[in-house]
Amino acid sequence: MKSRFMLSCAAAAVALGSGEMALAQAAPQSADAASTNSDVIIVTAQRRDQSIQDVPLTLQAFSTDTLSKLNVTSIDGLLKYTPNVTFSNNGPGQGAIFLRGLSAGFAGQQSSATIGGFPNVAIYLDDQSMQFPARNVDVYVADIERVEVLEGPQGTLFGGGAQAGVLRYITNKPKLDKFEGRIEGSFGGTAGGAANGSFNAMVNVPIIEDKLAIRAVVYADHHGGYIDNKYSTFTRQTSDIGSYYLNYTDPATGINNGNKLTPQQQSHGGKYDNNSLVEDNFNPVDYTGGRVSLDWKVAPDWDLLVTHAYQKLESRGTFAVQTYTYDYAPLTGLSSTLFTPQYNKDDFSNTSWTINGKVGDFKVIYTGAYLTRHISQQGDYTNYARAQYGIYYQCTGASTYANYGAGAPPTCYEPTSYWTDKVRSTHESHEIRVTTPDDKRIRAIVGGYYENFKIQDNQDWDYKTVPSCDASLTHQQIVDSKFDCVGAVGPNPAATLNVQGLRGPSVGFGEDTQRGFKQYAAFGSVDFDILPNLTVTGGTRYYNYKEFEVGSVYSTSMYACYQQPSCVRGSNLDALGLKSTYHGFKSKATISWKPQPGTLLYATFSQGFRPGAFNRGPSARVQDGTFPYIDAAGKPTKTKTDTKNFQLLVPAAYSPDNLTNWEVGLKTDLFDRKVTFNLSAYYMSWDNIQIGFFNPAAGFGNTAFAANGPTYHIKGIEAQIIARPATGLTIQGSGTYNDSKQANSPCFIVNNPTATDVGKCLTTRFGGLNADGSVKPALSVQSPYGTPGSVTPFSPKFQGNIRARYEWTGKADINWFVAAGVNYTSSYFNQPGTYPSGDEVANGNSVSANGVIIPGTTVLRYKMKGYALADAQIGFTRDNWSVTLFGDNIFNSHASTFTNSSQYIKTSTVVRPMTYGIKIATKL
């Protein structure tokens, strides 16, 4: 199948060509024309049609023509040309966008659909929100009129989630008065990897001229893999963080095993490998989809537009590379050593409808949309076997909780494990806007908005490899058989569930949840021209969010479930009544001045927010260091009991966070409009930030939770320049400098009435018991919110890019072009100071026999080095044909954009290696 697709792409590339589309860079023109006809992009960032140079905010826009010239088809390809934007991801369709350094870290994948915070950058396909926690939709760029990137809070007109900014995909609409079409194909390769190929075709057909038209686009794009899954063994070692469970003293000899297993105490004699999954270039990606739009001019001032879009994204393997195998042998090249198949299947279907009309002088727009998205994902989790609780689910006897207290020697089963996640989300929205005439001294926009967003998530962690018991037997029958087994786990049947019944035999933990919100909002914005060249703008938005979460979280108790036919121990989130309501106003005020034609000065105050969310219900964390247990009378005690005395009671919900922005800017055309120069500076305060926590080594438990925490202050400056120094030559560049710092460090307040330090900051935790049962000295807990002055994550100090394009007309009326560009991102962190460093042997991290640091948790702080990427194109156009030879990442950088420990092994998601090819297309 793939070979046929690649051959068809190659044939398309030979037979077709890339036509010129809506202008963002004009074709070569005379010097006189260049001096009077600056390239103009019309945007709707303020819900009105305006030249980009007349909009008093920092924004960038890429037209169809520019997107094609830059060979942009996906979100990561787009964002490398946008300064002040970072993109963290675990692969296609598995990422989050951050603007101006406004990030509290990123982990993604596991549990994001259940407990992940909502993004603070809004993504729109036309007027439909495409947001999702840690997994924004990766919209394929085909037949897109333009992409707009709006920086800073846009809460007044775009609402919650537009806290840091907005990314808007504006599609091309049907044309009522002419037939047009375009076909494009490309074919190429990947340095050290497999071949790539793409094809897309568009057609616009007036069915009834000037009355009814249809426009359709289809596309298919195959990205060849470039990461090799190499051979690795897995051997249980005494350096494993959870090896203390295996400690055993033989009663006959008195010899202690030092946490070391014999081959006889392990399945398969302790020999495990991934030989069946060894494969080169095993991480291909495929985008397929299409869009069809119907535009009907109902009356002279009224029209109806209906659009349906469908996209399927499929990837296989991993996009994170390792530097060592699961047994800590060094790896070279772009390599991994997965032990279980890994894949991601992500599709969405979106139907939208828009009515445009006029009532007198007032424009009226109603738009609605309904989005359905399905995600099915599986990830390797084998290295969890080395974690603190990995052995808990995979071994019996010794000090484990399976067969607890029996005095049996340890027995361990397969370390191979994985997780699966199945998500369905729906997103319904309706908005109505009324705008006054654009040519009046007072101009206004008023509107109302309704949104219903729902996520259904069923995620299972299949890391329990102790055999499951036969559910047809009774507990006593299983005990009599002396079979080493644990009952299958399942969710609480009284809860609202997506999937009923017991889970698979290897599921040790899982969550079956539904959550979401309904939002009601009303907004308004007024422009008032004090003078013809001096305008003040004021706007506000009232919002009302009603959030909920229901379902069940379930886990295997290896003690209670040992030799049980089944073990249904799931929580009932429905019974907790997890509902929250948030409401209020967010506003914006701007003053803009045009001292001369082609120059705009502005100052803006704006506010943004994003809604809160839920944890998996309330929980108790961090055992008391002085009185670690609770006795039968409910009193704290130093004597060991079955009930632990915790210090921190984590609530089920966390609240919205808020952003305030002060910004000044300049936009101007210079030297008879041969140079366009834009400059902006801003100061932002991000308060009550939503922070995620996962640090088992510090006593915070083995499940993640979120809370509101510190304040970040961000100071920055951004410059953009476009120069046209000679006929056919365009040079564009932009750069940003950000100083993003944590401003304070609140603490967790001990809030359990039975704790020793109730009402004080949580600073200590249980240090363990001595051999005589006495309590060891308490251990210190590092500041969980990090240190004031620490740098915020995904906030490089400097980002910049520059690109040039030269066009000229040669013989036989062939229009030639050559272009090149480079972008640079300085170093940045992946997580806030909340988390311990992944490069230190401390805070739960250990070290292997050959010196490799073994992560003690799936969320650690790493610093990614700065990197530069370069691209180049050369080609020609003639008549309706275009031919382009292109190269991206031409110096073949392997820079990491996201280093993490999410699978209990240090990995790095790297930029795609150098790709090269030919793109040919034609207009019909």
Side-chain angles (χ1 to χ4, degrees), residues 238-242 324 328 383 386-388 694-699 765 782 835-848 851-862 900-906:
T238 56
S239 60
D240 294 347
I241 298 169
Y324 52 88
Y328 308 115
N383 232 49
R386 303 201 185 282
Q388 184 176 1
F694 184 65
N695 193 349
R765 63 184 177 89
Q782 72 172 54
Y835 291 101
S837 170
D839 295 319
E840 299 177 3
V841 185
N843 301 302
N845 300 336
S846 60
V847 62
S848 71
V852 173
I853 297 175
I854 305 170
T857 172
T858 60
V859 188
L860 291 170
R861 194 177 201 222
Y862 294 98
N900 69 92
S901 59
S902 63
Q903 311 301 332
Y904 284 95
I905 189 169
K906 182 180 179 181

Side-chain angles (χ1 to χ4, degrees), residues 227-427:
I227 295 177
D228 300 335
N229 201 48
K230 293 187 176 179
Y231 177 80
S232 175
T233 57
F234 185 100
T235 307
R236 295 190 186 273
Q237 302 179 15
T238 56
S239 60
D240 294 347
I241 298 169
S243 66
Y244 62 86
Y245 279 116
L246 306 177
N247 189 269
Y248 177 73
T249 300
D250 189 323
T253 64
I255 298 175
N256 184 273
N257 69 354
N259 302 351
K260 188 173 183 179
L261 297 165
T262 66
Q264 293 74 28
Q265 292 170 339
Q266 304 177 69
S267 64
H268 304 293
K271 295 184 180 298
Y272 312 102
D273 64 44
N274 68 340
N275 186 61
S276 63
L277 291 181
V278 173
E279 181 184 348
D280 289 344
N281 307 324
F282 88 133
N283 63 322
V285 182
D286 288 279
Y287 295 83
T288 55
R291 185 173 61 250
V292 60
S293 302
L294 182 71
D295 192 7
W296 176 28
K297 192 173 184 62
V298 181
D301 290 327
W302 291 86
D303 67 85
L304 169 67
L305 174 69
V306 179
T307 301
H308 181 77
Y310 173 79
Q311 177 176 295
K312 179 171 69 174
L313 168 60
E314 292 185 315
S315 64
R316 186 166 56 87
T318 181
F319 295 83
V321 299
Q322 303 166 210
T323 57
Y324 52 88
T325 71
Y326 281 7
D327 263 345
Y328 308 115
L331 283 172
T332 59
L334 300 181
S335 307
S336 64
T337 59
L338 301 187
F339 270 58
T340 58
Q342 191 157 300
Y343 60 81
N344 180 53
K345 299 177 182 179
D346 183 353
D347 67 78
F348 75 83
S349 176
N350 184 61
T351 301
S352 62
W353 50 94
T354 301
I355 298 174
N356 276 282
K358 291 185 70 176
V359 177
D361 289 336
F362 295 92
K363 294 181 181 178
V364 179
I365 297 177
Y366 159 71
T367 183
Y370 189 84
L371 169 73
T372 302
R373 186 181 183 191
H374 296 89
I375 299 169
S376 178
Q377 187 172 17
Q378 177 172 296
D380 182 50
Y381 212 49
T382 297
N383 232 49
Y384 183 68
R386 303 201 185 282
Q388 184 176 1
Y389 293 98
I391 290 173
Y392 173 90
Y393 289 101
Q394 299 179 355
C395 302
T396 63
S399 299
T400 70
Y401 288 87
N403 201 18
Y404 183 73
T411 298
C412 287
Y413 299 89
E414 295 271 353
T416 304
S417 61
Y418 58 95
W419 54 265
T420 60
D421 196 11
K422 294 186 182 300
V423 180
R424 180 181 186 270
S425 68
T426 57
H427 210 142

Side-chain angles (χ1 to χ4, degrees), residues 449-532:
Y449 183 75
Y450 169 79
E451 180 181 21
N452 187 351
F453 184 31
K454 186 176 181 179
I455 301 172
Q456 298 168 275
D457 181 30
N458 184 198
Q459 177 150 14
D460 289 323
W461 283 262
D462 292 69
Y463 46 50
K464 181 183 71 65
T465 59
V466 174
S468 283
C469 301
D470 187 343
S472 67
L473 302 178
T474 66
H475 168 61
Q476 191 58 51
Q477 288 174 322
I478 297 171
V479 171
D480 293 342
S481 72
K482 299 181 179 180
F483 184 59
D484 218 14
C485 66
V486 176
V489 72
N492 192 319
T496 302
L497 301 175
N498 302 302
V499 180
Q500 299 284 340
L502 295 174
R503 296 312 192 245
S506 60
V507 174
F509 181 81
E511 51 202 16
D512 187 327
T513 62
Q514 297 181 20
R515 67 160 169 157
F517 60 76
K518 291 183 179 180
Q519 180 196 175
Y520 305 85
F523 57 90
S525 180
V526 178
D527 298 333
F528 174 56
D529 294 336
I530 300 174
L531 298 171

Side-chain angles (χ1 to χ4, degrees), residues 62 66-81 140-142 147 169 184 888 919:
F62 300 84
T66 300
L67 294 168
S68 178
K69 289 174 179 177
L70 295 175
N71 202 36
V72 169
T73 58
S74 62
I75 196 166
D76 55 341
L78 169 70
L79 296 182
K80 68 182 180 181
Y81 297 104
Y140 189 82
V141 178
V147 177
Y169 296 88
E184 177 180 284
D888 294 322
K919 180 171 66 175

